[in-house]
Amino acid sequence: LTDVLEFRRVLFRSNPDTVQEELRKLILDPAYRTRKSSEGRKYVEKYHDALVVAREMLDIYRLVGLK
């Protein structure tokens, strides 16, 4: 069940102090933008696929005693 509760890597580690720089890089650097786009797609496919989410929900329900 640790897979369900694991810390998930985020695509951007931004806060109010760094968001401007991240946006600047995305706007001005096509290679960076392409790389982040590809990483974003992989992240969504890994963590937000309907089957993945359904399995995680079933694991959580089992953890709390629902069948």
Side-chain angles (χ1 to χ4, degrees), residues 1 3 23 28 30 37-39 41 45-46 51 54 56 58-59 63:
L1 188 60
D3 291 342
L23 290 172
L28 298 177
S37 174
S38 176
E39 290 172 3
R41 170 88 186 207
E45 289 172 347
K46 182 175 181 179
L51 291 175
E56 289 177 350
L58 286 172
D59 288 344
L63 177 69

Side-chain angles (χ1 to χ4, degrees), residues 17-45:
D17 297 326
T18 62
V19 70
Q20 183 177 358
E21 178 60 21
E22 282 298 326
L23 290 172
R24 187 191 68 72
K25 286 192 291 188
L26 284 170
I27 293 167
L28 298 177
D29 186 341
Y32 182 74
R33 188 170 52 248
T34 299
R35 187 173 73 250
K36 287 299 182 179
S37 174
S38 176
E39 290 172 3
R41 170 88 186 207
K42 290 175 187 173
Y43 180 89
V44 168
E45 289 172 347

Side-chain angles (χ1 to χ4, degrees), residues 1 4 6 8 13 22 25 35 39 55 64:
L1 188 60
V4 173
E6 76 180 13
R8 294 182 176 171
R13 294 204 185 277
E22 282 298 326
K25 286 192 291 188
R35 187 173 73 250
E39 290 172 3
R55 285 187 192 112
V64 298

